[in-house]
Amino acid sequence: MERFLNTGKKSGSKEKDEEPQTSGTVGKKRKHRRYDNTYLDIGFTSVDVNHEERPQCVLCLKILSTESMIPSKLRRHLEINHPNMAKKPRDFFSRKLKELKGQKGTFFKQASIPSYALLASYKVAHRIAMCKKPHTIAKELILPAAVDMVNIMVGESAGKLLSKVPLSNNTISRRIQHMAEDLNDQLIEKIKGKGFALQLDEATDSNKDAHLICYTRFVDCDNIVEDLLFCKSITAGIKSQDLFQIIDTFMSENQLDWTKCFGVCTDGGRSMSGCYGGLQALIRSKAADALWTHCIIHREALASKHLSPPLNAVMESVLKAVNFIKTRPQKARFFRQMCEDMGSEYTSLLYYCSSRWLSRGNVLSRVFKLHQELYSYLVEEKHECANNYLDTVFLSKLAYLCDIFDKLNALNLSLQGNNTHILKLSEKVSTFRKKLFLWRRKLNEDCYNDCFPMLHQFVTSNDVCLTHELKSVFEQHLTNLSDWFEKYFPEKFVWIQDPFSTRAPTEFTSVEEEKLIELSCDKTLKVKFSSMGLEEFWISIKDEYPILSAKAQQILVPIATTYLCEAGFSAVAVIKSKYRSKINVEQEIRVAVSKLIPRFEKLCSAQQAHISH
């Protein structure tokens, strides 16, 4: 657009500026003529091109060279290219010049968009990505709804201005791509040169495409930050070598130092946790000091799945009855209608899925609450399990399982969430283990009304007396449960939780033990320890006790669960539906789940604005 006019020179000026010549014979000077207003008589105005004043024809808008700023050359152009206009008066060319100026303003007004409209486009794209919605929703719903609201509340002129915000499908896709790249750059800048931990998991989406999700956790400005590192599609196999190749390639491309990695958390899969040929071994070949952690939530699920034969028979009978109804749509409809006729609180059973952490407890609880309706329906269907739901011993065992799995589900939920570390979660598991001994003692003393409310309600409402044999089954299950938890959750790192009264571990060096003694005798830090969080305390003393602080951070910073990866896969399930099977998952999920904020001003400054079309 620089080709249009600049007529700010004084009329009548015929001075010639001389500047040193930048090329050619040394010592010679190239002469530059200035534009004279009398040149308008022959149909020429002037423009600035690369800080040089050049003549421009007001008829064809052609810009000539600087050397053509001579009346004879300008007249030659007019006579050759516009012979019919050669004898037109000055007024004619003046009108053409005014029209040209008007066209310039109109063109700029139509072809440019305010910077805030470009920013608005990025903001809308950011919200769409965070809500995991299709890109077409911007132009199909958001923009029309916004225009309607503005037209009603503000005025139609504001609505017309709002409609210029570019929100097409392709535009939103580009905006999300730019924001994803910016978020990745921000995260890499923060990680470089710092110790970090990884959390890894792989899963398959609705389109049967496998993905490897990786989260990272690190200390940034005395705060622990956790964010999505990448979500890569697995194009080859899912062996440990294939997964490691994806991670190692990302590390190399972003120039991240493997030796700074001091923690990796995965599930218990063989390809992930194998210490000889698994992903754990391959990562330790690059990061020898990396601490591998088996996800605490997976360990809790493994510890709680073991049932004694009498209780396992109850579980199998429940699943048989549930599958008999839920796998047959017609029977499920009849059962729902019967529950509605009986005025039940619930009208359907729940499917059981062994890979769902809370599924077992939820299924048992729903079956127990509908056991009367279930008995009536199974009797009509002449099912072999019908009489079980009339047997008080069977229902007593079912009530006990509902109570104990309700407690296990509560423990599982407390282990989930962001910003957790292995010591905090281990404390919750230790608390649960101690409660197991309490519940066993209360059960033996027949004071279980608070510990097992569903069992107590069933026994009292049906005048059932728990036999010694039945209580032995419950007590034995609680004992075995405690043993399994002890196997999966050994106590470690007590010195981090209480550095002022705990002796140093045997693996400590003499220097580390001396520093721990100095720390334990510091009363000021003892007061500080009681008023701060565990992570915050050990990070705060990094200058005073760098050795102990670094050693504690290697335990506190690594991620203890795969909760973030599981939440990431839930986001993938929403983003990549059967209607959006070809979408770029990594860009979408990064903008959707990242805790960083895109640098909108930087993104806008790097883009050229266009009106919506």
Side-chain angles (χ1 to χ4, degrees), residues 112-378:
S112 63
I113 186 171
S115 59
Y116 54 76
L118 180 62
L119 177 61
S121 177
Y122 271 103
K123 291 280 189 179
V124 172
H126 187 231
R127 290 190 177 275
I128 291 174
M130 292 184 67
C131 294
K132 310 173 188 68
K133 297 298 182 181
H135 303 165
T136 54
I137 197 175
K139 198 164 187 177
E140 293 177 355
L141 177 62
I142 297 177
L143 184 59
V147 171
D148 290 342
M149 289 186 287
V150 171
N151 285 340
I152 295 172
M153 301 300 294
V154 182
E156 293 186 0
S157 59
K160 291 180 180 178
L161 182 63
L162 192 63
S163 63
K164 293 184 179 181
V165 179
L167 294 176
S168 66
N169 180 27
N170 293 337
T171 299
I172 296 298
S173 298
R174 289 195 301 271
R175 301 285 188 260
I176 292 176
Q177 177 185 355
H178 298 157
M179 289 186 288
E181 293 172 354
D182 179 69
L183 292 174
N184 182 72
D185 293 341
Q186 289 188 59
L187 185 62
I188 297 302
E189 289 174 5
K190 290 179 178 291
I191 295 178
K192 282 185 177 179
K194 300 174 184 175
F196 59 91
L198 301 177
Q199 176 187 145
L200 301 164
D201 202 1
E202 59 86 20
T204 304
D205 59 25
S206 59
N207 200 40
K208 308 303 180 183
D209 296 327
H211 301 277
L212 177 65
I213 285 187
C214 179
Y215 276 79
T216 184
R217 197 164 187 254
F218 58 96
V219 178
D220 180 46
C221 299
D222 296 337
N223 295 317
I224 293 183
V225 178
E226 53 189 19
D227 211 327
L228 176 70
L229 190 61
F230 64 78
C231 175
K232 298 291 185 182
S233 297
I234 302 176
T235 56
I238 56 173
K239 295 182 179 180
S240 56
Q241 295 86 350
D242 302 321
L243 301 180
F244 177 76
Q245 183 63 38
I246 295 174
I247 306 170
D248 189 50
T249 300
F250 180 86
M251 293 287 185
S252 301
E253 290 176 352
N254 293 276
Q255 300 177 353
L256 295 179
D257 188 1
W258 264 116
T259 60
K260 297 291 183 179
C261 175
F262 50 69
V264 180
C265 179
T266 66
D267 58 18
R270 181 174 297 180
S271 62
M272 291 284 188
S273 60
C275 59
Y276 296 105
L279 185 62
Q280 175 190 176
L282 295 175
I283 290 179
R284 281 182 172 169
S285 66
K286 294 281 188 176
D289 298 330
L291 174 68
W292 180 77
T293 305
H294 184 186
C295 171
I296 285 184
I297 303 178
H298 281 83
R299 280 189 275 167
E300 185 271 343
L302 290 173
S304 61
K305 76 174 185 178
H306 299 280
L307 295 174
S308 60
L311 296 178
N312 191 58
V314 174
M315 187 69 194
E316 290 180 355
S317 177
V318 167
L319 296 181
K320 187 181 294 185
V322 169
N323 291 334
F324 175 74
I325 297 174
K326 293 292 290 182
T327 57
R328 297 167 175 84
Q330 185 178 10
K331 295 185 184 301
R333 291 195 299 271
F334 288 158
F335 181 75
R336 182 188 302 111
Q337 186 62 45
M338 188 187 70
C339 291
E340 292 176 354
D341 295 341
M342 297 177 66
S344 304
E345 181 182 1
Y346 302 101
T347 60
S348 63
L349 300 173
L350 301 176
Y351 267 122
Y352 171 68
C353 180
S354 59
S355 62
R356 301 287 182 181
W357 294 328
L358 310 179
S359 179
R360 183 177 299 188
N362 293 336
V363 170
L364 290 170
S365 178
R366 181 64 60 86
V367 168
F368 182 77
K369 292 176 181 178
L370 293 175
H371 71 272
Q372 294 179 352
E373 294 83 351
L374 191 58
Y375 169 74
S376 301
Y377 184 79
L378 293 177

